[in-house]
Amino acid sequence: MSLTRSRHICHRTRAAAVGAACALVAIVGATGSSAAPLSPSAGTSAVTVESVEVHIKDFKFVPAEVKVPAGAKVTVVNDDSAPHTLTATEGQAFDTGTIESGKSGSFTAPSKPGSYAFICSIHPQMKGTLVVS
Ligand SMILES: [Cu+2]
């Protein structure tokens, strides 16, 4: 028996083909262990304080408001089908440059606390805010 492992794969695999098996395993798992945590980040390693991840999906930054400590490393993952950037709107405070589909880029958060608006320079309607504390 390997319920934990199966549930794990289920959580990470969203393919329609495994949907039925996924639901079945989920039910078994729920009745089998009442203490199973439903962490949304299960399967990904814990993010340290100094490192933050932003995703880009459906022409949106997720989250749109990114809170980071000063000088933190921010990794930007492009889950979209189009290339994107994460670029400060003022002062050239930070810029990932072009991140191709499926790739990731990174930048270092400013050392000065404050709110920094950013956009995608390719699609300026994409907006977000970096809050440095
Ligand atoms: Cu874009």
Side-chain angles (χ1 to χ4, degrees), residues 2 15 17-18 27 45 49 56 72 83 86 115 120 128:
S2 58
V18 296
I27 292 162
S45 57
V49 178
I56 301 175
L86 192 159
S115 266
C120 168

Side-chain angles (χ1 to χ4, degrees), residues 56 59 82-85 120-123 126:
I56 301 175
F59 291 78
H84 295 293
T85 79
C120 168
S121 64
I122 303 168
H123 314 99
M126 293 171 59

Side-chain angles (χ1 to χ4, degrees), residues 52-100:
V52 179
E53 209 168 82
V54 183
H55 286 255
I56 301 175
K57 198 165 192 179
D58 298 328
F59 291 78
K60 287 183 186 130
F61 295 105
V62 183
E65 184 179 273
V66 185
K67 295 181 178 177
V68 298
K73 184 188 177 187
V74 183
T75 300
V76 184
V77 183
N78 183 359
D79 296 325
D80 231 336
S81 54
H84 295 293
T85 79
L86 192 159
T87 307
T89 55
E90 286 180 35
Q92 301 179 326
F94 47 86
D95 184 7
T96 60
T98 301
I99 307 169
E100 299 295 338

